[in-house]
Amino acid sequence: MAEFLIAFLVSLLLIGGLVLALTYGRAPTWRPDRRKVLDLMQKLQTGEVRQDEWEMFIGFPILHDPELEAIRRLCVGIHEGDDKHPPASDGLGQYVYDRAGRQRVAEVQKELEQLIANEPYFRDF
């Protein structure tokens, strides 16, 4: 009887914890903002970005910011190639792309910097 009671209480705690986690938890989301993407692009230029970080950026649509989604699509065009350019080649060492690919990303980065500069400024008092 004592073994049953211990097993019951442990199961009750685990199931209760699971119910609480599902009730108050949220689904995982990835919502990058413009400055985070700019930081990612700057790290790509210096070779500090990890391959998986960059692939996550170009692999998932950004639904909350249409302008940032347009920037992401330009980066996808660099990664996969488009009508005018072939796909960007792999870089040496820690670089994701070669010099030509990084130069194309730098042009997109300028567009993102312009978007950030044109953002409305507000302050909470």
Side-chain angles (χ1 to χ4, degrees):
M1 181 70 180
E3 294 170 353
F4 172 75
L5 188 59
I6 291 173
F8 177 76
L9 290 176
V10 169
S11 299
L12 184 66
L13 286 174
L14 289 175
I15 292 173
L18 181 64
V19 167
L20 286 175
L22 291 174
T23 302
Y24 295 108
R26 322 183 293 161
T29 58
W30 186 68
R31 292 179 53 103
D33 62 353
R34 294 176 180 181
R35 285 174 180 74
K36 182 176 179 178
V37 172
L38 179 62
D39 182 54
L40 190 70
M41 288 182 169
Q42 290 169 344
K43 287 181 179 179
L44 182 116
Q45 297 295 333
T46 60
E48 298 172 11
V49 71
R50 295 189 331 255
Q51 182 78 25
D52 60 333
E53 287 177 315
W54 184 251
E55 288 178 1
M56 184 168 173
F57 167 64
I58 63 173
F60 288 103
I62 301 172
L63 303 175
H64 64 279
D65 189 347
E67 291 89 7
L68 193 56
E69 172 63 13
I71 295 291
R72 186 195 72 83
R73 287 181 185 222
L74 291 173
C75 292
V76 170
I78 293 170
H79 185 76
E80 295 179 354
D82 55 15
D83 296 336
K84 299 176 186 175
H85 301 94
S89 301
D90 292 337
L92 296 174
Q94 72 271 18
Y95 291 103
V96 175
Y97 297 134
D98 61 351
R99 286 185 183 158
R102 289 194 310 266
Q103 180 61 34
R104 289 169 56 196
V105 171
E107 293 169 6
V108 175
Q109 181 178 338
K110 289 178 186 175
E111 292 182 31
L112 179 59
E113 289 171 349
Q114 188 64 36
L115 275 176
I116 291 172
N118 293 337
E119 281 182 343
Y121 179 77
F122 65 93
R123 185 181 232 175
D124 289 335
F125 291 99

